[in-house]
Amino acid sequence: DWIDSRMILGHIALRENDAKAATAAFAAIPSDGSPISVEAATYAAGLEKSAGRLSKSIAAYAYVLAHDAADSEARVELANLYALTGQRWKANGHYSELIRQPEFGFKQMVLYTDFERRHPDDIQFLKHCAQLAPDDPAVNLALAIEEIARTDLESARRRLE
């Protein structure tokens, strides 16, 4: 049927390294809570992250968890995205769920226990995301938080407006 054809098109586009077409195919699948919609959202979440659209990636991973709370890989990704974008209060809830899971690695433990710590590559990744998706709210929030930490309040204000 039509929904299955979108999944097939998405997988074909992935094999052809056409992220834009794959994202469009997976996004076309209705968010109806069905297993296929959850699978499509999982693919879309990773593609959106690669395209710098962290807000869309966060929304897709949240959708996955709303329909499959046991998906620990999605939970790790969502927690890491929340931490990356300065939404630690949201990340910590997911980290506390993950603490007993084998997927809860050293990076997650550090992020869970040391609120101020960032991975050295995070800022470069966020800047890359800002180049790809300059209007993404989550990316701009994260970079504004960094600018505030450097006391560059004017840049932070412009980024958030």
Side-chain angles (χ1 to χ4, degrees), residues 2-3 10 20 36 49 52 73 82 89 94 96-97 99 105 108 110 113 122 125-126 146 151-152 157-158 161:
W2 185 86
I3 292 174
K20 187 175 180 179
I36 200 165
K49 180 180 175 185
E73 289 179 27
Y82 279 143
W89 65 96
H94 293 287
S96 66
E97 290 283 325
I99 201 159
Q108 287 78 31
V110 169
T113 58
D122 284 355
F125 177 70
L126 287 166
E146 290 302 315
T151 65
D152 187 355
R157 179 176 287 126
R158 278 193 310 271
E161 289 177 341

PDB file of all heavy atoms in Angstrom, residues 2-3 10 20 36 49 52 73 82 89 94 96-97 99 105 108 110 113 122 125-126 146 151-152 157-158 161:
ATOM      1  N   TRP A   2       0.229   2.401   0.103  1.00  0.00           N
ATOM      2  CA  TRP A   2       0.928   3.682  -0.029  1.00  0.00           C
ATOM      3  C   TRP A   2       1.972   3.878   1.069  1.00  0.00           C
ATOM      4  O   TRP A   2       3.092   4.324   0.813  1.00  0.00           O
ATOM      5  CB  TRP A   2      -0.095   4.830  -0.019  1.00  0.00           C
ATOM      6  CG  TRP A   2       0.533   6.155  -0.265  1.00  0.00           C
ATOM      7  CD1 TRP A   2       0.797   6.709  -1.476  1.00  0.00           C
ATOM      8  CD2 TRP A   2       0.995   7.086   0.708  1.00  0.00           C
ATOM      9  NE1 TRP A   2       1.409   7.921  -1.323  1.00  0.00           N
ATOM     10  CE2 TRP A   2       1.533   8.186   0.022  1.00  0.00           C
ATOM     11  CE3 TRP A   2       1.019   7.099   2.099  1.00  0.00           C
ATOM     12  CZ2 TRP A   2       2.085   9.282   0.664  1.00  0.00           C
ATOM     13  CZ3 TRP A   2       1.562   8.199   2.742  1.00  0.00           C
ATOM     14  CH2 TRP A   2       2.086   9.272   2.020  1.00  0.00           C
ATOM     15  N   ILE A   3       1.620   3.553   2.300  1.00  0.00           N
ATOM     16  CA  ILE A   3       2.547   3.753   3.421  1.00  0.00           C
ATOM     17  C   ILE A   3       3.777   2.864   3.255  1.00  0.00           C
ATOM     18  O   ILE A   3       4.914   3.316   3.436  1.00  0.00           O
ATOM     19  CB  ILE A   3       1.837   3.504   4.773  1.00  0.00           C
ATOM     20  CG1 ILE A   3       0.802   4.607   5.003  1.00  0.00           C
ATOM     21  CG2 ILE A   3       2.842   3.434   5.916  1.00  0.00           C
ATOM     22  CD1 ILE A   3      -0.065   4.405   6.215  1.00  0.00           C
ATOM     23  N   GLY A  10      11.964   5.534   1.080  1.00  0.00           N
ATOM     24  CA  GLY A  10      12.919   6.052   2.057  1.00  0.00           C
ATOM     25  C   GLY A  10      14.177   5.211   2.116  1.00  0.00           C
ATOM     26  O   GLY A  10      15.294   5.740   2.141  1.00  0.00           O
ATOM     27  N   LYS A  20      17.771  14.008   1.587  1.00  0.00           N
ATOM     28  CA  LYS A  20      16.590  14.858   1.423  1.00  0.00           C
ATOM     29  C   LYS A  20      15.379  14.029   0.991  1.00  0.00           C
ATOM     30  O   LYS A  20      14.289  14.169   1.558  1.00  0.00           O
ATOM     31  CB  LYS A  20      16.888  15.961   0.409  1.00  0.00           C
ATOM     32  CG  LYS A  20      15.793  16.982   0.285  1.00  0.00           C
ATOM     33  CD  LYS A  20      16.210  18.101  -0.654  1.00  0.00           C
ATOM     34  CE  LYS A  20      15.106  19.136  -0.767  1.00  0.00           C
ATOM     35  NZ  LYS A  20      15.491  20.239  -1.647  1.00  0.00           N
ATOM     36  N   ILE A  36       4.815   1.133  11.952  1.00  0.00           N
ATOM     37  CA  ILE A  36       5.523   1.656  10.787  1.00  0.00           C
ATOM     38  C   ILE A  36       5.781   3.162  10.930  1.00  0.00           C
ATOM     39  O   ILE A  36       6.806   3.673  10.503  1.00  0.00           O
ATOM     40  CB  ILE A  36       4.802   1.310   9.465  1.00  0.00           C
ATOM     41  CG1 ILE A  36       5.784   1.423   8.294  1.00  0.00           C
ATOM     42  CG2 ILE A  36       3.562   2.148   9.247  1.00  0.00           C
ATOM     43  CD1 ILE A  36       5.308   0.773   7.016  1.00  0.00           C
ATOM     44  N   LYS A  49      18.747  15.111  12.394  1.00  0.00           N
ATOM     45  CA  LYS A  49      19.947  15.463  13.164  1.00  0.00           C
ATOM     46  C   LYS A  49      21.120  15.712  12.218  1.00  0.00           C
ATOM     47  O   LYS A  49      21.850  16.695  12.364  1.00  0.00           O
ATOM     48  CB  LYS A  49      20.275  14.355  14.153  1.00  0.00           C
ATOM     49  CG  LYS A  49      21.506  14.642  14.993  1.00  0.00           C
ATOM     50  CD  LYS A  49      21.786  13.504  15.960  1.00  0.00           C
ATOM     51  CE  LYS A  49      23.082  13.738  16.718  1.00  0.00           C
ATOM     52  NZ  LYS A  49      23.415  12.586  17.568  1.00  0.00           N
ATOM     53  N   GLY A  52      21.114  19.034  10.655  1.00  0.00           N
ATOM     54  CA  GLY A  52      21.221  20.176  11.554  1.00  0.00           C
ATOM     55  C   GLY A  52      19.906  20.645  12.133  1.00  0.00           C
ATOM     56  O   GLY A  52      19.873  21.612  12.885  1.00  0.00           O
ATOM     57  N   GLU A  73      17.655   3.094  22.605  1.00  0.00           N
ATOM     58  CA  GLU A  73      18.497   3.847  21.670  1.00  0.00           C
ATOM     59  C   GLU A  73      17.898   5.222  21.389  1.00  0.00           C
ATOM     60  O   GLU A  73      18.620   6.224  21.358  1.00  0.00           O
ATOM     61  CB  GLU A  73      18.689   3.069  20.368  1.00  0.00           C
ATOM     62  CG  GLU A  73      19.584   1.855  20.536  1.00  0.00           C
ATOM     63  CD  GLU A  73      19.750   1.062  19.253  1.00  0.00           C
ATOM     64  OE1 GLU A  73      19.629   1.655  18.160  1.00  0.00           O
ATOM     65  OE2 GLU A  73      20.000  -0.145  19.356  1.00  0.00           O
ATOM     66  N   TYR A  82      18.823  16.715  24.052  1.00  0.00           N
ATOM     67  CA  TYR A  82      18.386  17.683  25.059  1.00  0.00           C
ATOM     68  C   TYR A  82      19.596  18.296  25.770  1.00  0.00           C
ATOM     69  O   TYR A  82      19.665  19.514  25.957  1.00  0.00           O
ATOM     70  CB  TYR A  82      17.459  17.040  26.087  1.00  0.00           C
ATOM     71  CG  TYR A  82      16.018  16.898  25.654  1.00  0.00           C
ATOM     72  CD1 TYR A  82      15.276  15.782  26.013  1.00  0.00           C
ATOM     73  CD2 TYR A  82      15.379  17.892  24.916  1.00  0.00           C
ATOM     74  CE1 TYR A  82      13.948  15.655  25.651  1.00  0.00           C
ATOM     75  CE2 TYR A  82      14.054  17.765  24.541  1.00  0.00           C
ATOM     76  CZ  TYR A  82      13.338  16.645  24.915  1.00  0.00           C
ATOM     77  OH  TYR A  82      12.022  16.518  24.555  1.00  0.00           O
ATOM     78  N   TRP A  89      17.214  19.964  31.931  1.00  0.00           N
ATOM     79  CA  TRP A  89      16.107  19.513  32.783  1.00  0.00           C
ATOM     80  C   TRP A  89      15.330  18.405  32.090  1.00  0.00           C
ATOM     81  O   TRP A  89      14.792  17.521  32.745  1.00  0.00           O
ATOM     82  CB  TRP A  89      15.200  20.685  33.169  1.00  0.00           C
ATOM     83  CG  TRP A  89      14.483  21.309  32.009  1.00  0.00           C
ATOM     84  CD1 TRP A  89      13.216  21.036  31.584  1.00  0.00           C
ATOM     85  CD2 TRP A  89      14.985  22.305  31.108  1.00  0.00           C
ATOM     86  NE1 TRP A  89      12.913  21.793  30.472  1.00  0.00           N
ATOM     87  CE2 TRP A  89      13.978  22.577  30.163  1.00  0.00           C
ATOM     88  CE3 TRP A  89      16.194  22.997  31.007  1.00  0.00           C
ATOM     89  CZ2 TRP A  89      14.135  23.510  29.135  1.00  0.00           C
ATOM     90  CZ3 TRP A  89      16.348  23.920  29.987  1.00  0.00           C
ATOM     91  CH2 TRP A  89      15.328  24.160  29.070  1.00  0.00           C
ATOM     92  N   HIS A  94      15.494  11.571  31.176  1.00  0.00           N
ATOM     93  CA  HIS A  94      15.821  10.414  30.334  1.00  0.00           C
ATOM     94  C   HIS A  94      17.072   9.701  30.839  1.00  0.00           C
ATOM     95  O   HIS A  94      17.127   8.464  30.833  1.00  0.00           O
ATOM     96  CB  HIS A  94      15.983  10.844  28.878  1.00  0.00           C
ATOM     97  CG  HIS A  94      14.705  11.314  28.277  1.00  0.00           C
ATOM     98  ND1 HIS A  94      13.682  10.447  27.951  1.00  0.00           N
ATOM     99  CD2 HIS A  94      14.258  12.550  27.980  1.00  0.00           C
ATOM    100  CE1 HIS A  94      12.668  11.134  27.460  1.00  0.00           C
ATOM    101  NE2 HIS A  94      12.996  12.415  27.472  1.00  0.00           N
ATOM    102  N   SER A  96      18.016   9.480  33.888  1.00  0.00           N
ATOM    103  CA  SER A  96      17.659   8.705  35.081  1.00  0.00           C
ATOM    104  C   SER A  96      16.950   7.408  34.693  1.00  0.00           C
ATOM    105  O   SER A  96      17.081   6.397  35.384  1.00  0.00           O
ATOM    106  CB  SER A  96      16.806   9.534  36.037  1.00  0.00           C
ATOM    107  OG  SER A  96      15.554   9.827  35.480  1.00  0.00           O
ATOM    108  N   GLU A  97      16.223   7.410  33.568  1.00  0.00           N
ATOM    109  CA  GLU A  97      15.606   6.179  33.065  1.00  0.00           C
ATOM    110  C   GLU A  97      16.660   5.214  32.525  1.00  0.00           C
ATOM    111  O   GLU A  97      16.484   3.999  32.582  1.00  0.00           O
ATOM    112  CB  GLU A  97      14.623   6.507  31.945  1.00  0.00           C
ATOM    113  CG  GLU A  97      13.363   7.216  32.372  1.00  0.00           C
ATOM    114  CD  GLU A  97      12.372   6.276  33.026  1.00  0.00           C
ATOM    115  OE1 GLU A  97      12.285   5.112  32.607  1.00  0.00           O
ATOM    116  OE2 GLU A  97      11.692   6.726  33.961  1.00  0.00           O
ATOM    117  N   ILE A  99      19.948   4.923  33.402  1.00  0.00           N
ATOM    118  CA  ILE A  99      21.123   4.658  34.229  1.00  0.00           C
ATOM    119  C   ILE A  99      21.388   3.159  34.435  1.00  0.00           C
ATOM    120  O   ILE A  99      22.527   2.743  34.568  1.00  0.00           O
ATOM    121  CB  ILE A  99      21.047   5.418  35.563  1.00  0.00           C
ATOM    122  CG1 ILE A  99      22.431   5.561  36.148  1.00  0.00           C
ATOM    123  CG2 ILE A  99      20.072   4.782  36.522  1.00  0.00           C
ATOM    124  CD1 ILE A  99      22.549   6.680  37.147  1.00  0.00           C
ATOM    125  N   GLY A 105      26.399   4.963  28.713  1.00  0.00           N
ATOM    126  CA  GLY A 105      27.851   4.937  28.687  1.00  0.00           C
ATOM    127  C   GLY A 105      28.482   6.037  29.510  1.00  0.00           C
ATOM    128  O   GLY A 105      27.817   6.796  30.223  1.00  0.00           O
ATOM    129  N   GLN A 108      27.204   9.655  28.847  1.00  0.00           N
ATOM    130  CA  GLN A 108      25.918   9.937  29.475  1.00  0.00           C
ATOM    131  C   GLN A 108      26.066  10.108  30.988  1.00  0.00           C
ATOM    132  O   GLN A 108      25.413  10.962  31.582  1.00  0.00           O
ATOM    133  CB  GLN A 108      24.901   8.830  29.152  1.00  0.00           C
ATOM    134  CG  GLN A 108      24.398   8.868  27.737  1.00  0.00           C
ATOM    135  CD  GLN A 108      25.380   8.294  26.741  1.00  0.00           C
ATOM    136  OE1 GLN A 108      26.150   7.402  27.049  1.00  0.00           O
ATOM    137  NE2 GLN A 108      25.364   8.836  25.534  1.00  0.00           N
ATOM    138  N   VAL A 110      28.689  11.245  32.594  1.00  0.00           N
ATOM    139  CA  VAL A 110      29.285  12.558  32.835  1.00  0.00           C
ATOM    140  C   VAL A 110      28.238  13.645  32.644  1.00  0.00           C
ATOM    141  O   VAL A 110      28.116  14.557  33.475  1.00  0.00           O
ATOM    142  CB  VAL A 110      30.517  12.785  31.923  1.00  0.00           C
ATOM    143  CG1 VAL A 110      30.978  14.233  31.978  1.00  0.00           C
ATOM    144  CG2 VAL A 110      31.638  11.845  32.324  1.00  0.00           C
ATOM    145  N   THR A 113      25.805  13.710  35.579  1.00  0.00           N
ATOM    146  CA  THR A 113      26.308  14.102  36.894  1.00  0.00           C
ATOM    147  C   THR A 113      27.003  15.457  36.924  1.00  0.00           C
ATOM    148  O   THR A 113      27.153  16.041  37.985  1.00  0.00           O
ATOM    149  CB  THR A 113      27.281  13.032  37.434  1.00  0.00           C
ATOM    150  OG1 THR A 113      28.354  12.873  36.505  1.00  0.00           O
ATOM    151  CG2 THR A 113      26.573  11.714  37.648  1.00  0.00           C
ATOM    152  N   ASP A 122      31.017  19.313  20.876  1.00  0.00           N
ATOM    153  CA  ASP A 122      29.630  19.800  20.830  1.00  0.00           C
ATOM    154  C   ASP A 122      29.496  21.169  20.177  1.00  0.00           C
ATOM    155  O   ASP A 122      28.597  21.382  19.364  1.00  0.00           O
ATOM    156  CB  ASP A 122      29.029  19.853  22.236  1.00  0.00           C
ATOM    157  CG  ASP A 122      28.656  18.482  22.768  1.00  0.00           C
ATOM    158  OD1 ASP A 122      28.770  17.491  22.011  1.00  0.00           O
ATOM    159  OD2 ASP A 122      28.275  18.405  23.945  1.00  0.00           O
ATOM    160  N   PHE A 125      29.880  20.977  16.471  1.00  0.00           N
ATOM    161  CA  PHE A 125      28.695  20.349  15.886  1.00  0.00           C
ATOM    162  C   PHE A 125      27.533  21.341  15.839  1.00  0.00           C
ATOM    163  O   PHE A 125      26.830  21.438  14.822  1.00  0.00           O
ATOM    164  CB  PHE A 125      28.301  19.088  16.663  1.00  0.00           C
ATOM    165  CG  PHE A 125      27.043  18.442  16.138  1.00  0.00           C
ATOM    166  CD1 PHE A 125      27.045  17.813  14.899  1.00  0.00           C
ATOM    167  CD2 PHE A 125      25.876  18.472  16.871  1.00  0.00           C
ATOM    168  CE1 PHE A 125      25.885  17.230  14.404  1.00  0.00           C
ATOM    169  CE2 PHE A 125      24.712  17.892  16.390  1.00  0.00           C
ATOM    170  CZ  PHE A 125      24.720  17.263  15.156  1.00  0.00           C
ATOM    171  N   LEU A 126      27.340  22.089  16.909  1.00  0.00           N
ATOM    172  CA  LEU A 126      26.257  23.077  16.941  1.00  0.00           C
ATOM    173  C   LEU A 126      26.473  24.168  15.888  1.00  0.00           C
ATOM    174  O   LEU A 126      25.518  24.598  15.223  1.00  0.00           O
ATOM    175  CB  LEU A 126      26.139  23.702  18.329  1.00  0.00           C
ATOM    176  CG  LEU A 126      25.539  22.788  19.391  1.00  0.00           C
ATOM    177  CD1 LEU A 126      25.776  23.362  20.781  1.00  0.00           C
ATOM    178  CD2 LEU A 126      24.063  22.542  19.125  1.00  0.00           C
ATOM    179  N   GLU A 146      25.701  29.211  25.104  1.00  0.00           N
ATOM    180  CA  GLU A 146      27.166  29.323  25.050  1.00  0.00           C
ATOM    181  C   GLU A 146      27.596  30.784  25.004  1.00  0.00           C
ATOM    182  O   GLU A 146      28.572  31.176  25.642  1.00  0.00           O
ATOM    183  CB  GLU A 146      27.718  28.568  23.832  1.00  0.00           C
ATOM    184  CG  GLU A 146      27.610  27.081  23.956  1.00  0.00           C
ATOM    185  CD  GLU A 146      28.324  26.532  25.178  1.00  0.00           C
ATOM    186  OE1 GLU A 146      29.473  26.937  25.446  1.00  0.00           O
ATOM    187  OE2 GLU A 146      27.726  25.701  25.880  1.00  0.00           O
ATOM    188  N   THR A 151      29.519  35.742  28.231  1.00  0.00           N
ATOM    189  CA  THR A 151      28.993  37.087  28.500  1.00  0.00           C
ATOM    190  C   THR A 151      28.787  37.911  27.227  1.00  0.00           C
ATOM    191  O   THR A 151      28.850  39.132  27.257  1.00  0.00           O
ATOM    192  CB  THR A 151      29.856  37.872  29.519  1.00  0.00           C
ATOM    193  OG1 THR A 151      31.135  38.119  28.977  1.00  0.00           O
ATOM    194  CG2 THR A 151      29.943  37.132  30.851  1.00  0.00           C
ATOM    195  N   ASP A 152      28.508  37.261  26.132  1.00  0.00           N
ATOM    196  CA  ASP A 152      28.173  37.940  24.878  1.00  0.00           C
ATOM    197  C   ASP A 152      26.649  38.005  24.777  1.00  0.00           C
ATOM    198  O   ASP A 152      26.018  37.299  23.988  1.00  0.00           O
ATOM    199  CB  ASP A 152      28.781  37.179  23.696  1.00  0.00           C
ATOM    200  CG  ASP A 152      28.605  37.921  22.379  1.00  0.00           C
ATOM    201  OD1 ASP A 152      27.940  38.972  22.352  1.00  0.00           O
ATOM    202  OD2 ASP A 152      29.147  37.415  21.369  1.00  0.00           O
ATOM    203  N   ARG A 157      21.062  37.479  22.474  1.00  0.00           N
ATOM    204  CA  ARG A 157      19.755  38.094  22.235  1.00  0.00           C
ATOM    205  C   ARG A 157      19.381  38.018  20.760  1.00  0.00           C
ATOM    206  O   ARG A 157      18.262  37.632  20.410  1.00  0.00           O
ATOM    207  CB  ARG A 157      19.756  39.542  22.716  1.00  0.00           C
ATOM    208  CG  ARG A 157      18.413  40.236  22.473  1.00  0.00           C
ATOM    209  CD  ARG A 157      18.367  41.629  23.032  1.00  0.00           C
ATOM    210  NE  ARG A 157      18.287  41.511  24.486  1.00  0.00           N
ATOM    211  CZ  ARG A 157      19.113  42.095  25.347  1.00  0.00           C
ATOM    212  NH1 ARG A 157      20.076  42.864  24.912  1.00  0.00           N
ATOM    213  NH2 ARG A 157      18.983  41.935  26.629  1.00  0.00           N
ATOM    214  N   ARG A 158      20.319  38.381  19.889  1.00  0.00           N
ATOM    215  CA  ARG A 158      20.046  38.322  18.429  1.00  0.00           C
ATOM    216  C   ARG A 158      19.712  36.894  18.000  1.00  0.00           C
ATOM    217  O   ARG A 158      18.801  36.683  17.207  1.00  0.00           O
ATOM    218  CB  ARG A 158      21.245  38.823  17.649  1.00  0.00           C
ATOM    219  CG  ARG A 158      21.332  40.331  17.530  1.00  0.00           C
ATOM    220  CD  ARG A 158      22.346  40.758  16.481  1.00  0.00           C
ATOM    221  NE  ARG A 158      23.646  40.120  16.625  1.00  0.00           N
ATOM    222  CZ  ARG A 158      24.637  40.599  17.365  1.00  0.00           C
ATOM    223  NH1 ARG A 158      24.482  41.723  18.039  1.00  0.00           N
ATOM    224  NH2 ARG A 158      25.789  39.955  17.443  1.00  0.00           N
ATOM    225  N   GLU A 161      16.072  36.021  19.012  1.00  0.00           N
ATOM    226  CA  GLU A 161      14.957  36.838  18.495  1.00  0.00           C
ATOM    227  C   GLU A 161      14.374  36.267  17.243  1.00  0.00           C
ATOM    228  O   GLU A 161      14.918  35.550  16.502  1.00  0.00           O
ATOM    229  CB  GLU A 161      15.427  38.267  18.235  1.00  0.00           C
ATOM    230  CG  GLU A 161      15.683  39.002  19.525  1.00  0.00           C
ATOM    231  CD  GLU A 161      16.216  40.414  19.304  1.00  0.00           C
ATOM    232  OE1 GLU A 161      16.725  40.710  18.219  1.00  0.00           O
ATOM    233  OE2 GLU A 161      16.132  41.193  20.251  1.00  0.00           O
TER     234      GLU A 161
END
